mmCIF file of all heavy atoms in Angstrom:
data_model
loop_
_atom_site.group_PDB
_atom_site.id
_atom_site.type_symbol
_atom_site.label_atom_id
_atom_site.label_comp_id
_atom_site.label_asym_id
_atom_site.label_seq_id
_atom_site.Cartn_x
_atom_site.Cartn_y
_atom_site.Cartn_z
ATOM 1 N N ASP A 23 -0.170 28.003 -1.948
ATOM 2 C CA ASP A 23 0.176 27.890 -0.526
ATOM 3 C C ASP A 23 1.438 28.726 -0.269
ATOM 4 O O ASP A 23 2.449 28.564 -0.964
ATOM 5 C CB ASP A 23 0.410 26.421 -0.149
ATOM 6 C CG ASP A 23 0.474 26.248 1.357
ATOM 7 O OD1 ASP A 23 1.315 26.902 2.004
ATOM 8 O OD2 ASP A 23 -0.329 25.461 1.904
ATOM 9 N N HIS A 24 1.368 29.578 0.728
ATOM 10 C CA HIS A 24 2.521 30.445 1.005
ATOM 11 C C HIS A 24 3.726 29.682 1.560
ATOM 12 O O HIS A 24 4.824 30.224 1.594
ATOM 13 C CB HIS A 24 2.103 31.587 1.938
ATOM 14 C CG HIS A 24 1.395 32.693 1.220
ATOM 15 N ND1 HIS A 24 1.385 33.995 1.657
ATOM 16 C CD2 HIS A 24 0.674 32.682 0.067
ATOM 17 C CE1 HIS A 24 0.685 34.743 0.800
ATOM 18 N NE2 HIS A 24 0.232 33.972 -0.157
ATOM 19 N N GLY A 25 3.496 28.457 1.966
ATOM 20 C CA GLY A 25 4.633 27.599 2.316
ATOM 21 C C GLY A 25 5.526 27.420 1.100
ATOM 22 O O GLY A 25 6.755 27.460 1.206
ATOM 23 N N LEU A 26 4.905 27.247 -0.054
ATOM 24 C CA LEU A 26 5.657 27.110 -1.311
ATOM 25 C C LEU A 26 6.089 28.478 -1.838
ATOM 26 O O LEU A 26 7.251 28.666 -2.213
ATOM 27 C CB LEU A 26 4.794 26.405 -2.368
ATOM 28 C CG LEU A 26 5.434 26.342 -3.756
ATOM 29 C CD1 LEU A 26 6.609 25.380 -3.775
ATOM 30 C CD2 LEU A 26 4.414 25.944 -4.805
ATOM 31 N N TYR A 28 6.570 31.360 -0.386
ATOM 32 C CA TYR A 28 7.481 32.179 0.421
ATOM 33 C C TYR A 28 8.246 31.424 1.502
ATOM 34 O O TYR A 28 8.948 32.044 2.300
ATOM 35 C CB TYR A 28 6.682 33.320 1.089
ATOM 36 C CG TYR A 28 6.088 34.259 0.076
ATOM 37 C CD1 TYR A 28 4.711 34.387 -0.079
ATOM 38 C CD2 TYR A 28 6.918 34.996 -0.761
ATOM 39 C CE1 TYR A 28 4.173 35.237 -1.030
ATOM 40 C CE2 TYR A 28 6.389 35.849 -1.721
ATOM 41 C CZ TYR A 28 5.024 35.966 -1.850
ATOM 42 O OH TYR A 28 4.508 36.801 -2.795
ATOM 43 N N GLY A 29 8.082 30.132 1.572
ATOM 44 C CA GLY A 29 8.699 29.405 2.686
ATOM 45 C C GLY A 29 8.057 29.825 3.998
ATOM 46 O O GLY A 29 8.682 29.792 5.056
ATOM 47 N N ASP A 30 6.788 30.256 3.898
ATOM 48 C CA ASP A 30 6.084 30.779 5.066
ATOM 49 C C ASP A 30 5.423 29.623 5.812
ATOM 50 O O ASP A 30 4.319 29.195 5.481
ATOM 51 C CB ASP A 30 5.047 31.812 4.593
ATOM 52 C CG ASP A 30 4.376 32.532 5.744
ATOM 53 O OD1 ASP A 30 4.629 32.164 6.908
ATOM 54 O OD2 ASP A 30 3.590 33.461 5.468
ATOM 55 N N GLY A 31 6.116 29.141 6.814
ATOM 56 C CA GLY A 31 5.605 28.022 7.595
ATOM 57 C C GLY A 31 6.687 27.493 8.507
ATOM 58 O O GLY A 31 7.806 28.040 8.545
ATOM 59 N N VAL A 32 6.357 26.480 9.261
ATOM 60 C CA VAL A 32 7.301 25.877 10.206
ATOM 61 C C VAL A 32 7.220 24.353 10.097
ATOM 62 O O VAL A 32 6.251 23.816 9.551
ATOM 63 C CB VAL A 32 7.013 26.323 11.657
ATOM 64 C CG1 VAL A 32 7.254 27.820 11.825
ATOM 65 C CG2 VAL A 32 5.594 25.964 12.084
ATOM 66 N N PHE A 33 8.249 23.699 10.625
ATOM 67 C CA PHE A 33 8.226 22.233 10.561
ATOM 68 C C PHE A 33 8.948 21.612 11.744
ATOM 69 O O PHE A 33 9.597 22.297 12.527
ATOM 70 C CB PHE A 33 8.794 21.731 9.236
ATOM 71 C CG PHE A 33 10.301 21.760 9.107
ATOM 72 C CD1 PHE A 33 11.040 20.585 9.218
ATOM 73 C CD2 PHE A 33 10.984 22.939 8.876
ATOM 74 C CE1 PHE A 33 12.428 20.596 9.089
ATOM 75 C CE2 PHE A 33 12.368 22.972 8.748
ATOM 76 C CZ PHE A 33 13.086 21.790 8.851
ATOM 77 N N LEU A 53 7.442 23.232 17.894
ATOM 78 C CA LEU A 53 6.625 23.543 16.712
ATOM 79 C C LEU A 53 5.669 24.698 16.990
ATOM 80 O O LEU A 53 5.580 25.656 16.213
ATOM 81 C CB LEU A 53 5.837 22.305 16.276
ATOM 82 C CG LEU A 53 4.949 22.513 15.047
ATOM 83 C CD1 LEU A 53 5.789 22.513 13.769
ATOM 84 C CD2 LEU A 53 3.866 21.448 14.940
ATOM 85 N N SER A 56 7.590 27.903 17.419
ATOM 86 C CA SER A 56 8.037 28.412 16.112
ATOM 87 C C SER A 56 6.874 29.123 15.425
ATOM 88 O O SER A 56 7.021 30.223 14.883
ATOM 89 C CB SER A 56 8.510 27.268 15.202
ATOM 90 O OG SER A 56 9.726 26.706 15.657
ATOM 91 N N ALA A 57 5.697 28.483 15.464
ATOM 92 C CA ALA A 57 4.513 29.039 14.803
ATOM 93 C C ALA A 57 4.122 30.367 15.458
ATOM 94 O O ALA A 57 3.881 31.365 14.778
ATOM 95 C CB ALA A 57 3.358 28.043 14.880
ATOM 96 N N ILE A 60 6.097 33.386 14.479
ATOM 97 C CA ILE A 60 5.845 33.966 13.146
ATOM 98 C C ILE A 60 4.360 34.301 12.946
ATOM 99 O O ILE A 60 3.892 34.385 11.808
ATOM 100 C CB ILE A 60 6.400 33.076 12.005
ATOM 101 C CG1 ILE A 60 5.659 31.740 11.872
ATOM 102 C CG2 ILE A 60 7.900 32.831 12.184
ATOM 103 C CD1 ILE A 60 5.845 31.071 10.499
ATOM 104 N N LEU A 62 1.750 32.540 13.330
ATOM 105 C CA LEU A 62 1.032 31.480 12.607
ATOM 106 C C LEU A 62 0.210 30.691 13.618
ATOM 107 O O LEU A 62 0.762 30.155 14.588
ATOM 108 C CB LEU A 62 2.053 30.564 11.913
ATOM 109 C CG LEU A 62 1.541 29.340 11.154
ATOM 110 C CD1 LEU A 62 0.657 29.757 9.978
ATOM 111 C CD2 LEU A 62 2.731 28.533 10.621
ATOM 112 N N LEU A 91 6.506 16.912 10.378
ATOM 113 C CA LEU A 91 5.309 17.718 10.653
ATOM 114 C C LEU A 91 5.514 19.068 9.989
ATOM 115 O O LEU A 91 6.551 19.695 10.192
ATOM 116 C CB LEU A 91 5.226 17.986 12.156
ATOM 117 C CG LEU A 91 4.496 17.044 13.075
ATOM 118 C CD1 LEU A 91 4.588 17.565 14.499
ATOM 119 C CD2 LEU A 91 3.062 16.995 12.649
ATOM 120 N N ILE A 92 4.533 19.501 9.233
ATOM 121 C CA ILE A 92 4.663 20.785 8.534
ATOM 122 C C ILE A 92 3.403 21.606 8.776
ATOM 123 O O ILE A 92 2.287 21.077 8.660
ATOM 124 C CB ILE A 92 4.848 20.578 7.009
ATOM 125 C CG1 ILE A 92 6.017 19.638 6.729
ATOM 126 C CG2 ILE A 92 5.043 21.918 6.288
ATOM 127 C CD1 ILE A 92 5.854 18.816 5.478
ATOM 128 N N VAL A 93 3.588 22.861 9.125
ATOM 129 C CA VAL A 93 2.446 23.784 9.194
ATOM 130 C C VAL A 93 2.749 24.929 8.239
ATOM 131 O O VAL A 93 3.751 25.633 8.422
ATOM 132 C CB VAL A 93 2.198 24.322 10.615
ATOM 133 C CG1 VAL A 93 0.924 25.158 10.653
ATOM 134 C CG2 VAL A 93 2.113 23.180 11.630
ATOM 135 N N THR A 94 1.946 25.077 7.193
ATOM 136 C CA THR A 94 2.169 26.163 6.237
ATOM 137 C C THR A 94 1.159 27.277 6.490
ATOM 138 O O THR A 94 0.125 27.051 7.118
ATOM 139 C CB THR A 94 2.014 25.692 4.779
ATOM 140 O OG1 THR A 94 0.615 25.548 4.482
ATOM 141 C CG2 THR A 94 2.718 24.372 4.527
ATOM 142 N N ARG A 95 1.464 28.452 5.983
ATOM 143 C CA ARG A 95 0.544 29.590 6.139
ATOM 144 C C ARG A 95 -0.781 29.302 5.419
ATOM 145 O O ARG A 95 -1.798 29.877 5.756
ATOM 146 C CB ARG A 95 1.192 30.851 5.571
ATOM 147 C CG ARG A 95 0.419 32.119 5.832
ATOM 148 C CD ARG A 95 0.510 32.599 7.260
ATOM 149 N NE ARG A 95 1.850 33.051 7.606
ATOM 150 C CZ ARG A 95 2.169 33.558 8.801
ATOM 151 N NH1 ARG A 95 1.265 33.669 9.758
ATOM 152 N NH2 ARG A 95 3.423 33.920 9.064
ATOM 153 N N GLY A 96 -0.740 28.414 4.455
ATOM 154 C CA GLY A 96 -1.955 28.055 3.733
ATOM 155 C C GLY A 96 -2.108 28.838 2.437
ATOM 156 O O GLY A 96 -1.198 29.558 2.013
ATOM 157 N N ALA A 110 -4.224 28.011 8.032
ATOM 158 C CA ALA A 110 -2.962 27.286 7.930
ATOM 159 C C ALA A 110 -3.250 25.823 7.587
ATOM 160 O O ALA A 110 -4.309 25.299 7.915
ATOM 161 C CB ALA A 110 -2.212 27.381 9.250
ATOM 162 N N SER A 111 -2.292 25.192 6.932
ATOM 163 C CA SER A 111 -2.427 23.767 6.608
ATOM 164 C C SER A 111 -1.465 22.941 7.444
ATOM 165 O O SER A 111 -0.333 23.370 7.703
ATOM 166 C CB SER A 111 -2.111 23.529 5.130
ATOM 167 O OG SER A 111 -3.290 23.545 4.381
ATOM 168 N N VAL A 146 15.665 36.056 10.841
ATOM 169 C CA VAL A 146 14.767 34.991 11.298
ATOM 170 C C VAL A 146 15.586 34.138 12.265
ATOM 171 O O VAL A 146 16.590 33.545 11.879
ATOM 172 C CB VAL A 146 14.247 34.136 10.126
ATOM 173 C CG1 VAL A 146 13.362 33.011 10.642
ATOM 174 C CG2 VAL A 146 13.481 34.997 9.134
ATOM 175 N N ILE A 150 13.657 29.283 15.334
ATOM 176 C CA ILE A 150 12.403 29.012 14.602
ATOM 177 C C ILE A 150 12.733 27.985 13.526
ATOM 178 O O ILE A 150 13.586 28.230 12.671
ATOM 179 C CB ILE A 150 11.871 30.302 13.934
ATOM 180 C CG1 ILE A 150 11.607 31.380 14.986
ATOM 181 C CG2 ILE A 150 10.618 29.995 13.106
ATOM 182 C CD1 ILE A 150 11.368 32.759 14.384
ATOM 183 N N LYS A 151 12.067 26.846 13.588
ATOM 184 C CA LYS A 151 12.327 25.828 12.568
ATOM 185 C C LYS A 151 11.411 26.147 11.390
ATOM 186 O O LYS A 151 10.357 25.541 11.202
ATOM 187 C CB LYS A 151 12.044 24.434 13.146
ATOM 188 C CG LYS A 151 13.022 23.395 12.653
ATOM 189 C CD LYS A 151 12.980 22.159 13.517
ATOM 190 C CE LYS A 151 13.298 20.912 12.729
ATOM 191 N NZ LYS A 151 14.562 20.915 12.024
ATOM 192 N N SER A 152 11.818 27.161 10.619
ATOM 193 C CA SER A 152 10.961 27.658 9.546
ATOM 194 C C SER A 152 11.178 26.875 8.265
ATOM 195 O O SER A 152 12.163 26.139 8.133
ATOM 196 C CB SER A 152 11.237 29.143 9.291
ATOM 197 O OG SER A 152 12.278 29.289 8.348
ATOM 198 N N LEU A 153 10.288 27.070 7.327
ATOM 199 C CA LEU A 153 10.408 26.383 6.033
ATOM 200 C C LEU A 153 11.466 27.029 5.141
ATOM 201 O O LEU A 153 11.669 26.595 4.028
ATOM 202 C CB LEU A 153 9.053 26.346 5.318
ATOM 203 C CG LEU A 153 7.983 25.471 5.981
ATOM 204 C CD1 LEU A 153 6.678 25.501 5.178
ATOM 205 C CD2 LEU A 153 8.455 24.011 6.110
ATOM 206 N N ASN A 154 12.136 28.076 5.645
ATOM 207 C CA ASN A 154 13.250 28.688 4.906
ATOM 208 C C ASN A 154 14.557 28.030 5.326
ATOM 209 O O ASN A 154 15.181 28.455 6.297
ATOM 210 C CB ASN A 154 13.344 30.179 5.238
ATOM 211 C CG ASN A 154 12.274 30.986 4.541
ATOM 212 O OD1 ASN A 154 12.479 31.451 3.429
ATOM 213 N ND2 ASN A 154 11.146 31.140 5.192
ATOM 214 N N TYR A 155 14.996 27.034 4.596
ATOM 215 C CA TYR A 155 16.241 26.357 4.955
ATOM 216 C C TYR A 155 17.327 26.578 3.915
ATOM 217 O O TYR A 155 18.280 25.820 3.828
ATOM 218 C CB TYR A 155 15.985 24.851 5.187
ATOM 219 C CG TYR A 155 16.042 24.518 6.677
ATOM 220 C CD1 TYR A 155 15.237 25.199 7.577
ATOM 221 C CD2 TYR A 155 16.914 23.559 7.178
ATOM 222 C CE1 TYR A 155 15.298 24.936 8.937
ATOM 223 C CE2 TYR A 155 16.983 23.281 8.531
ATOM 224 C CZ TYR A 155 16.175 23.979 9.406
ATOM 225 O OH TYR A 155 16.243 23.712 10.757
#
Side-chain angles (χ1 to χ4, degrees):
D23 192 303
H24 281 207
L26 174 71
Y28 296 115
D30 187 354
V32 295
F33 77 104
L53 180 77
S56 290
I60 67 160
L62 177 63
L91 270 180
I92 306 149
V93 186
T94 76
R95 187 74 68 178
S111 266
V146 178
I150 301 168
K151 217 164 149 56
S152 88
L153 292 180
N154 284 270
Y155 253 55

